[in-house]
Amino acid sequence: MNKLVSKLLESRLQAHIFHLRVSGKNAYEAHITLEDYYSSIVDLVDELAEVYQGKYKLFPFDETYTITNDASLENILQYFENLAKTVEEFEETDGFLISHIDDILSLIYKTIYKLKHLK
């Protein structure tokens, strides 16, 4: 769970960097879509982490972040598709966490949907 929460916190930062760097055709729409993501993910991750830590233990947060500056639409889409796969790996976790993970996946897939329609 530490790796998942760390990856999701990283995604907030990465989405913000994409948001600031995206350019080209449909850049404004991508800019707004990315802002919606990074503005929403923090509360969802916070809730997931608090619920998990309430039952188990505090996270060590010893993961490192990997951030890219390539804000091409193709790279952004690939990033979010990979993120969805990472989050889906945790769907088999404790039942009381499933709704939180589903909310996060919903946000990721909504973001992917909006970005795909900008191509």
Side-chain angles (χ1 to χ4, degrees):
M1 190 58 64
N2 176 44
K3 289 180 189 266
L4 175 61
V5 170
S6 292
K7 185 65 177 173
L8 291 168
L9 291 174
E10 173 191 276
S11 78
R12 198 231 61 85
L13 177 59
Q14 182 63 73
H16 202 155
I17 290 169
F18 286 151
H19 162 86
L20 294 171
R21 296 187 56 84
V22 68
S23 62
K25 183 180 176 190
N26 299 321
Y28 179 74
E29 291 86 353
H31 182 84
I32 296 303
T33 297
L34 293 162
E35 182 177 7
D36 289 345
Y37 177 82
Y38 74 73
S39 296
S40 301
I41 193 64
V42 173
D43 287 341
L44 296 174
V45 174
D46 190 61
E47 195 163 318
L48 173 66
E50 288 175 354
V51 169
Y52 179 88
Q53 292 181 127
K55 181 170 183 180
Y56 297 110
K57 60 181 180 177
L58 297 179
F59 297 126
F61 289 108
D62 55 0
E63 300 296 315
T64 58
Y65 292 166
T66 304
I67 303 298
T68 182
N69 285 314
D70 179 358
S72 65
L73 189 54
E74 293 79 21
N75 189 56
I76 296 169
L77 260 171
Q78 184 67 44
Y79 177 85
F80 280 100
E81 288 169 351
N82 289 337
L83 181 62
K85 288 177 189 172
T86 298
V87 175
E88 285 174 348
E89 292 174 8
F90 288 86
E91 283 189 313
E92 301 289 322
T93 193
D94 289 326
F96 70 97
L97 297 173
I98 296 298
S99 65
H100 301 290
I101 292 172
D102 285 346
D103 289 344
I104 290 166
L105 278 170
S106 293
L107 175 62
I108 294 168
Y109 280 120
K110 182 171 87 172
T111 302
I112 291 170
Y113 166 78
K114 289 178 178 181
L115 293 170
K116 278 184 177 179
H117 288 86
L118 297 179
K119 287 179 110 177

